[in-house]
């Protein structure tokens, strides 16, 4: 085997100058530090904020490829938003306690509910997404996706008191808009009706108005699709058109009973 030739060929085909997997690993460290800083009562806040700034500087060095946009300045804006993000997340946790009869305490929600964890990382990532920090918000939500099975794009817009029950298999697309006091269950997809690269800058995912409940495995598609407030979407429903407020939508299964054969 000509090892030198193999090495040369591998180097030749490594064509992405910004592809550093260290960025993925450092983003996960940054995400964990954020979560502990906001929630763990034994974590010293001021000390951790200093650590977070150091980690953020590392992310800037690895991910800020556009020299005309000085990403380092984002930290001061971002850290000012953390109290507001925490306030929202506390409301999300309270919504889960109030919605789920299986929850024994609010501490259980913070520590054991995958839906809450996914929402927390989404909210922390979303503010960086809004600022235009490349790739890092996506890596943050994908880290949460890997741990929870909940896939929330950091570009989605989600209002107050959001509750995801069970969580596994939930998909919320980049341009989805979710208003206040919405509850969704496992397997729900808020997706695009079509998949095409030229739709990148358009609204491709649905809007969910206030006080909507979406039960397990429902699929709602399309940027023009609006689910009106106070609506209940039943399990396994498939929707590509808007639903007016105060509606109830159910998937009706077709049941065929196999005839009993009589054996003489």
């Amino acid at each position: 085997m000509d090892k030198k030739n193999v090495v040369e060929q591998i180097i030749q085909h490594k064509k992405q100058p910004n592809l550093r997997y260290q960025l993925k690993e450092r983003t996960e460290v940054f995400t964990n530090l954020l979560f502990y800083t906001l929630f763990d009562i034994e974590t010293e806040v001021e000390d951790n904020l200093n650590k977070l700034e150091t980690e953020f500087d590392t992310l800037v060095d690895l991910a800020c490829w556009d020299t005309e946009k000085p990403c380092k300045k984002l930290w001061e804006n971002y850290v000012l938003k953390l109290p507001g993000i925490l306030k929202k997340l506390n409301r999300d946790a309270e919504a889960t306690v109030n919605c789920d009869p299986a929850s024994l305490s609010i501490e259980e929600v913070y520590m054991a509910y995958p839906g809450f964890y996914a929402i927390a990382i989404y909210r922390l990532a979303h503010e960086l997404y809004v600022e235009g920090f490349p790739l890092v918000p996506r890596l943050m939500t994908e880290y949460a996706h890997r741990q929870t099975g909940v896939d929330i794009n950091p570009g989605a817009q989600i209002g107050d008191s959001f509750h995801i029950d069970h969580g596994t298999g939930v998909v919320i697309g980049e341009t989805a808009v979710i208003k206040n006091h919405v509850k969704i269950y496992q397997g729900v997809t808020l997706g695009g009706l079509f998949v095409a690269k030229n739709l990148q800058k358009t609204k491709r995912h649905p809007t969910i108005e206030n006080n909507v409940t979406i039960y397990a495995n429902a699929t709602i598609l399309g940027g023009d699709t609006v689910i009106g407030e106070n609506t209940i979407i039943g399990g396994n429903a498939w929707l590509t058109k808007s639903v007016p407020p105060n509606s109830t939508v159910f998937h009706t299964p077709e049941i065929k009973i196999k005839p009993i054969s009589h054996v003489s």
Side-chain angles (χ1 to χ4, degrees):
M1 180 183 70
D2 187 347
K3 184 176 179 182
K4 183 179 179 181
N5 185 46
V6 171
V7 170
E8 289 175 351
Q9 288 187 59
I10 291 174
I11 293 173
Q12 178 184 352
H13 293 293
K14 290 178 74 170
K15 296 182 177 180
Q16 307 304 323
N18 295 314
L19 187 56
R20 299 179 177 90
Y21 277 93
Q22 182 188 166
L23 173 60
K24 183 176 181 179
E25 295 165 357
R26 299 315 303 177
T27 297
E28 293 173 5
V29 171
F30 177 75
T31 302
N32 287 333
L33 276 172
L34 269 176
F35 195 84
Y36 271 73
T37 301
L38 294 185
F39 296 110
D40 181 51
I41 199 65
E42 295 183 349
T43 295
E44 207 281 317
V45 173
E46 185 174 359
D47 183 54
N48 251 38
L49 284 178
N50 293 331
K51 293 178 182 177
L52 281 165
E53 185 173 7
T54 299
E55 290 296 332
F56 193 83
D57 288 345
T58 300
L59 298 182
V60 166
D61 291 338
L62 292 169
C64 194
W65 307 326
D66 189 344
T67 56
E68 295 181 2
K69 294 182 179 179
C71 300
K72 193 174 178 68
K73 294 181 181 179
L74 295 177
W75 175 251
E76 292 181 6
N77 294 331
Y78 184 66
V79 76
L80 291 175
K81 294 179 179 180
L82 291 179
I85 296 171
L86 178 56
K87 188 175 180 180
K88 274 194 168 187
L89 288 170
N90 286 335
R91 287 197 290 262
D92 295 326
E94 290 164 5
T96 293
V97 169
N98 294 333
C99 290
D100 186 4
S103 62
L104 302 176
S105 67
I106 197 164
E107 289 83 4
E108 181 187 23
V109 172
Y110 287 114
M111 290 192 287
Y113 274 60
F116 175 78
Y117 182 81
I119 294 168
I121 303 309
Y122 152 77
R123 292 206 189 279
L124 291 165
H126 177 73
E127 295 301 332
L128 288 175
Y129 175 94
V130 170
E131 295 287 348
F133 190 31
L135 193 54
V136 168
R138 188 73 173 90
L139 290 173
M140 290 172 70
T141 55
E142 188 55 34
Y143 179 48
H145 179 201
R146 191 165 76 244
Q147 296 188 82
T148 66
V150 179
D151 184 0
I152 308 177
N153 190 286
Q157 300 177 48
I158 300 178
D160 290 342
S161 300
F162 183 45
H163 168 58
I164 299 176
D165 204 349
H166 302 295
T168 305
V170 167
V171 177
I172 300 173
E174 179 187 23
T175 62
V177 176
I178 299 173
K179 301 287 183 72
N180 302 322
H181 303 286
V182 171
K183 301 187 287 289
I184 68 176
Y185 288 74
Q186 69 273 15
V188 167
T189 297
L190 304 181
L193 188 57
F194 304 103
V195 179
K197 193 64 177 179
N198 61 2
L199 299 175
Q200 187 173 17
K201 300 297 183 181
T202 62
K203 189 178 186 304
R204 310 180 303 281
H205 307 99
T207 295
I208 312 299
E209 298 285 353
N210 296 331
N211 302 309
V212 170
T213 299
I214 308 173
Y215 283 103
N217 299 313
T219 298
I220 304 172
L221 306 177
D224 295 329
T225 303
V226 178
I227 306 301
E229 63 182 13
N230 306 315
T231 289
I232 296 174
I233 307 297
N236 298 306
W238 177 281
L239 292 170
T240 59
K241 295 182 180 179
S242 295
V243 174
N246 306 304
S247 299
T248 302
V249 179
F250 288 112
H251 165 74
T252 303
E254 182 180 355
I255 300 174
K256 294 183 179 180
I257 301 175
K258 183 178 180 180
I260 299 173
S261 58
H262 297 280
V263 180
S264 56

